[in-house]
């Protein structure tokens, strides 16, 4: 059975130590000047010396080959603690539009493992599917086309970037073990953020 193309960005599934992801996340602020819509599953990076009036640190969309601080797991409709009584805010939104200030929940522990679909970043393109030899190597993510206001991220693991280079975003831990997943196009992989802003270095080389 062929793998189904259903990218969701980076989805937390557990921790490096073997335990399941406990749902914990940290609140971050997105300034009004954000130039890219943000979705659940998108990697983000801390903005230097920037935050909101309450001291909440700011983030922006992650960049391939650069350090990130975590992955968006939720979008808040307003600042925590503000009453929503009588509000017209959309509570079903899973994204934050361009040029819109807001707050996002970010899974930012450097030891979290994520599931991500492989691809090339071009809608419908598959590239050369990764094989068992990719395990232990690194790769960048890429923001794919296709995400909508009420969907999750289109971010995929860029299978054209697999290498041992230490600064690549993601470390490939293994193939996601599910009946509906196998080596080949659109395979789902378990990865760890390799180049993490809260890690001890800029990443480790692949093996």
């Amino acid at each position: 059975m062929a793998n189904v193309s259903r990218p969701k960005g980076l989805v937390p599934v557990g921790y490096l130590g073997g335990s399941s992801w406990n749902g914990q996340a940290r609140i971050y602020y997105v300034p009004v000047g954000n130039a890219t819509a943000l979705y659940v599953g998108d990697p983000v990076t801390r903005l230097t010396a920037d935050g909101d009036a309450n001291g909440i640190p700011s983030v922006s969309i992650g960049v391939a080959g650069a350090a990130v601080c975590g992955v968006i797991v939720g979008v808040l409709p307003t600042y925590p603690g503000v009453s929503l009584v009588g509000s017209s805010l959309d509570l079903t939104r899973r994204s934050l539009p361009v040029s819109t200030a807001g707050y996002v929940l970010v899974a930012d522990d450097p030891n979290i493992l994520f599931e991500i679909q492989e691809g090339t970043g071009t809608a419908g393109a598959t590239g050369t599917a990764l094989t068992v030899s990719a395990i232990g190597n690194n790769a960048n993510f890429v923001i794919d086309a296709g995400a909508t206001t009420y969907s999750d991220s289109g971010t995929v693991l860029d299978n054209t970037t697999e290498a041992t280079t230490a600064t690549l975003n993601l470390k490939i831990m293994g193939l996601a073990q599910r009946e509906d997943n196998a080596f080949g196009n659109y395979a789902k992989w378990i990865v760890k953020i390799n180049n993490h802003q809260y890690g001890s270095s800029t990443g480790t080389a692949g093996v």
Side-chain angles (χ1 to χ4, degrees):
M1 178 178 176
N3 297 322
V4 176
S5 179
R6 192 177 294 119
K8 296 181 179 180
L10 289 141
V11 180
V13 294
Y15 292 90
L16 192 60
S19 59
S20 299
W21 182 56
N22 60 14
Q24 292 295 306
R26 195 182 313 275
I27 297 172
Y28 288 86
Y29 173 64
V30 179
V32 69
N34 69 304
T36 304
L38 299 175
Y39 298 84
V40 170
D42 274 346
V44 289
T45 187
R46 279 282 305 274
L47 296 176
T48 304
D50 191 21
D52 75 350
N54 300 287
I56 304 294
S58 298
V59 291
S60 62
I61 190 68
V63 176
V68 297
C69 72
V71 173
I72 295 175
V73 294
V75 177
L76 300 178
T78 187
Y79 180 74
V82 174
S83 173
L84 297 178
V85 176
S87 172
S88 61
L89 293 171
D90 186 350
L91 301 181
T92 63
R93 182 180 293 278
R94 294 181 64 81
S95 66
L96 192 65
V98 172
S99 302
T100 303
Y103 296 86
V104 291
L105 296 172
V106 176
D108 60 3
D109 187 321
N111 293 310
I112 295 177
L113 301 180
F114 299 88
E115 181 178 306
I116 186 172
Q117 178 175 302
E118 70 171 273
T120 67
T122 301
T126 58
T128 301
L130 298 176
T131 66
V132 67
S133 63
I135 297 174
N137 275 342
N138 303 326
N140 279 333
F141 55 71
V142 63
I143 310 300
D144 200 351
T148 66
T149 300
Y150 299 100
S151 73
D152 291 334
S153 169
T155 297
V156 295
L157 185 156
D158 187 350
N159 60 19
T160 69
T161 64
E162 183 230 337
T164 60
T165 309
T167 55
L168 295 174
N169 299 120
L170 307 173
K171 185 168 294 293
I172 301 169
M173 307 297 291
L175 195 68
Q177 299 299 298
R178 295 207 313 263
E179 290 185 357
D180 62 347
N181 189 49
F183 292 114
N185 295 334
Y186 312 123
K188 313 307 188 286
W189 293 87
I190 302 301
V191 300
K192 176 181 177 293
I193 295 177
N194 183 53
N195 193 350
H196 201 297
Q197 287 180 303
Y198 299 150
S200 57
S201 66
T202 56
T204 60
V207 296

